[in-house]
Amino acid sequence: MFEDRYSRQMRVPGIGKSGLEKIRASRVTLCGVGALGTVLANTLVRAGVGHLRIIDRDFVEPSNLQRQVLFDESDVTDNLPKVEAAARKLRAINSEVAIEAITADIDRTNIEAFCADADLILDGTDNFEVRYTINDIAVKLGKPWIYGGAVGVEGMTMTIIPGVTPCLRCVFEQSPGPGEVGTCETAGVLGPIVSITSSYQAAEALKILAGKPEAINRDLYMYNCWENTSRRVKIAPLKGRKGQCPCCALHKYEWLDGDHGTQTTSLCGRNAVQVTQRLAGKLDFSALKKQVEGAKAVTANKFLMKFTVTDAGTDHEFTVFPDGRAIIKGTDDLDRARTLYAKYIGY
Ligand SMILES: [Zn+2]
């Protein structure tokens, strides 16, 4: 459409005409379109990737606007899922990129379908459960992926090329337990650390997509934008953990195959629980509207339905998706959330 859209990028040594052609022919799967994910999507779509698949389970809320750069106030008032709001902006930014928007909770049952045709997988998530699942599928399929995390004023990135670098489990064998690491909700997060972290991830992505994997950062890179410190941890010696890494050495994909992961998840610090129910068909919002007669603030669009009920003296806001998944606010208790789900939605 615009002849010189990529002219500045092409002049970068290491990219050039052939690098640009490779970027434009590439397919990328981005897991999570929140803080890191919106910056990643924005940067890669402007850089001209061929196909970007974005997957996220959430909808846009007012507390996202401080750092999630693709969203605005109208996305909050329209109750849009994050991927739908992001896709609209991304298509307006660069109509040459094919954007595939999927509202779903990424887990071991669906991740292979999301990643099988990708040249690169990007981590824009906020939890270790999904990251270990990404690590398993990336190693299993032999695809590069880029880990990123940002909380408070600190960020961390790591680039994983299976067979070349250590995998996530070589470096972090177990996921941190609940409460061991802060989350955006408990520790807060400063906007710039999100941009810094995801921009490092995006730079690594462009090296790989341009066919220059030799240029990647092979260290675990950590930085603090308030204390003005940064640290590189040499992780290369950990590769395969002397043949004992369950994932990349023993090829036991415990997060893909095992019982890790739950169907009901507390959304840490948000006083909310996600209940996943796999339905055979799509949930009928008009039938559900009749079913929850008496509920307050009932709204629905084609992507999600919201309503609030008062149960045992507490207000619970339900956000329900067509696949039967629900995010229930007003509790951190999994059993209580399952009970509320059964009571108001059924199944
Ligand atoms: Zn490993």
Side-chain angles (χ1 to χ4, degrees):
M1 186 176 174
F2 302 114
E3 210 177 296
D4 62 351
R5 181 192 285 266
Y6 306 112
S7 57
R8 303 301 189 274
Q9 177 171 294
M10 212 162 66
R11 277 178 219 164
V12 172
I15 301 269
K17 194 163 181 290
S18 73
L20 178 64
E21 279 166 10
K22 287 188 179 116
I23 290 169
R24 298 202 61 196
S26 66
R27 298 179 69 92
V28 176
T29 291
L30 169 58
C31 301
V33 195
L36 300 174
T38 50
V39 180
L40 283 166
N42 180 40
T43 309
L44 292 184
V45 163
R46 287 179 193 278
V49 297
H51 181 279
L52 181 68
R53 178 178 294 134
I54 53 178
I55 309 137
D56 195 284
R57 67 184 179 188
D58 239 322
F59 53 92
V60 184
E61 296 189 279
S63 66
N64 302 152
L65 299 179
Q66 164 251 0
R67 65 197 178 284
Q68 304 191 11
V69 298
L70 290 176
F71 306 136
D72 61 40
E73 293 172 3
S74 70
D75 300 324
V76 177
T77 49
D78 291 346
N79 274 331
L80 288 185
K82 287 186 176 178
V83 293
E84 296 297 335
R88 287 181 192 184
K89 306 282 161 47
L90 295 168
R91 288 178 185 130
I93 289 166
N94 190 344
S95 59
E96 295 172 359
V97 178
I99 309 288
E100 188 184 348
I102 301 170
T103 299
D105 188 29
I106 298 169
D107 63 23
R108 65 191 177 88
T109 67
N110 57 22
I111 194 160
E112 183 153 3
F114 295 146
C115 297
D117 60 355
D119 300 304
L120 173 70
I121 306 163
L122 292 174
D123 171 25
T125 71
D126 58 0
N127 74 84
F128 269 92
E129 197 167 307
V130 179
R131 287 175 181 137
Y132 281 108
T133 310
I134 295 172
N135 189 62
D136 269 4
I137 198 69
V139 172
K140 184 181 171 189
L141 301 177
K143 294 178 188 288
W145 78 278
I146 301 164
Y147 158 69
V151 164
V153 294
E154 294 176 295
M156 190 192 290
T157 59
M158 175 178 162
T159 303
I160 294 112
I161 300 182
V164 177
T165 71
C167 81
L168 188 68
R169 289 199 75 183
C170 294
V171 179
F172 303 105
E173 197 180 351
Q174 304 288 345
S175 66
E180 280 180 43
V181 286
T183 70
C184 289
E185 285 75 18
T186 55
V189 62
L190 202 66
I193 198 66
V194 168
S195 310
I196 291 166
T197 304
S198 47
S199 295
Y200 274 122
Q201 285 179 281
E204 294 290 282
L206 290 174
K207 294 173 195 173
I208 291 170
L209 296 176
K212 298 289 161 55
E214 64 276 9
I216 62 156
N217 175 18
R218 283 155 199 269
D219 299 333
L220 175 67
Y221 193 33
M222 308 153 94
Y223 28 84
N224 180 319
C225 73
W226 201 264
E227 310 272 333
N228 314 308
T229 54
S230 65
R231 199 151 66 94
R232 288 176 167 280
V233 180
K234 293 257 171 250
I235 53 174
L238 297 175
K239 187 183 164 220
R241 275 194 178 266
K242 298 195 169 83
Q244 294 306 306
C245 173
C247 182
C248 71
L250 302 172
H251 297 282
K252 285 198 285 189
Y253 305 113
E254 295 176 348
W255 291 81
L256 279 182
D257 302 333
D259 295 327
H260 287 99
T262 50
Q263 293 299 293
T264 306
T265 318
S266 177
L267 303 179
C268 184
R270 273 172 67 178
N271 193 29
V273 173
Q274 172 180 266
V275 180
T276 303
Q277 187 83 37
R278 300 213 178 274
L279 305 179
K282 280 198 165 189
L283 198 61
D284 182 349
F285 285 166
S286 57
L288 186 57
K289 266 187 189 171
K290 286 187 197 130
Q291 193 176 311
V292 296
E293 212 180 0
K296 290 172 287 184
V298 183
T299 61
N301 55 31
K302 66 177 179 174
F303 308 115
L304 57 85
M305 176 173 161
K306 283 192 179 204
F307 59 88
T308 300
V309 295
T310 307
D311 194 290
T314 304
D315 276 356
H316 295 285
E317 182 197 85
F318 282 63
T319 303
V320 190
F321 297 88
D323 62 1
R325 189 167 56 85
I327 294 170
I328 303 172
K329 287 191 183 170
T331 183
D332 284 321
D333 185 308
L334 303 186
D335 289 334
R336 173 86 184 122
R338 278 192 286 263
T339 303
L340 288 164
Y341 187 98
K343 187 168 172 183
Y344 293 99
I345 302 174
Y347 303 100

